[in-house]
Amino acid sequence: MALPQPAMAIPREISAGTVKLITKPSASIHYTFVQGNSSHQTNRLVVFLNGIIADKASWLAVITGIIRTRKTTKGFPSMLAYDRYGQGLSQDRDPQDRGREKGHGHDVADVVTDLHQLIAQIAQERLHRSLEQLQIVLVANSIGCAIARLYAQRYPGKVAALLLLDSIMANSNFDFWPDPDSEGFDVNQLPEDVTIEILRKQRARFAAMFSPNVVNQEGLSRRNLAQLLPHSDSPKIIGPDGKGPWVTVVGHDPDHFAMESLKVSKN
């Protein structure tokens, strides 16, 4: 599903392409690429990782802004955004899904494997470098943050920095509200304007959107995400210098997010 994007002039430095992973030659991945112009960042690649709802087009304004603000000063790094199988312009399904349960054919661990292969091929074909020569900066949104975290864990020494935007809570099943049908539930704990029926409906609405069992368009399963990333503060991630990479975490304004969530829950 592609979200509407504001009209803008696309810088000539941004190019589009398709690639077939050596490991999955029957399917194509669409990507957006920018060749960096900074002599100080020739070994760095910034990779943008989508959430489930927004595809790579959602990063276009960000990439454009980086190019325009840094073009005549310090220069900008090479950048890559892509649509995962079954997402955005990458209409080919993940070949791994064949013969598996619909909607749950591949998981975040599989996406990380594909991402590593994609970076290796882009490095070779577009940057004329080996993967070993690159330092990776991962900019991620929503479930893309889980992909970024698992990538950094699996490939120590590769990720120089992570920017995590509105990260998914990987070790949660999103069952935040008390269950009115559970043993020991105390109806007196509810606010005056909340009935048991309202609570049941809200639990059902939230589960229909965020439960790990909910199927998405690309068929990316979240059922085992809590097992893949059981802790928010471990294991320790190792960066290129043997220390931890730079990590920045950004979240929604809580009041605005609450209002937007209420709108969604009423639809």
Side-chain angles (χ1 to χ4, degrees), residues 60-78:
L60 187 58
V62 176
I63 296 172
T64 298
I66 292 173
I67 293 172
R68 289 177 176 168
T69 57
R70 297 180 63 90
K71 187 173 183 179
T72 58
T73 55
K74 298 180 180 180
F76 49 83
S78 296

Side-chain angles (χ1 to χ4, degrees), residues 1-5 30 32 48-61 63 81-84 86-91 141 217-218:
M1 175 182 178
L3 296 181
Q5 302 298 319
H30 282 251
T32 297
F48 296 88
L49 301 175
N50 312 332
I52 286 180
I53 296 177
D55 58 24
K56 67 180 177 64
S58 64
W59 298 110
L60 187 58
I63 296 172
Y82 75 105
D83 287 331
R84 297 185 295 269
Q87 182 186 53
L89 295 178
S90 296
Q91 293 299 299
N141 169 248
Q217 184 178 1
E218 63 184 286

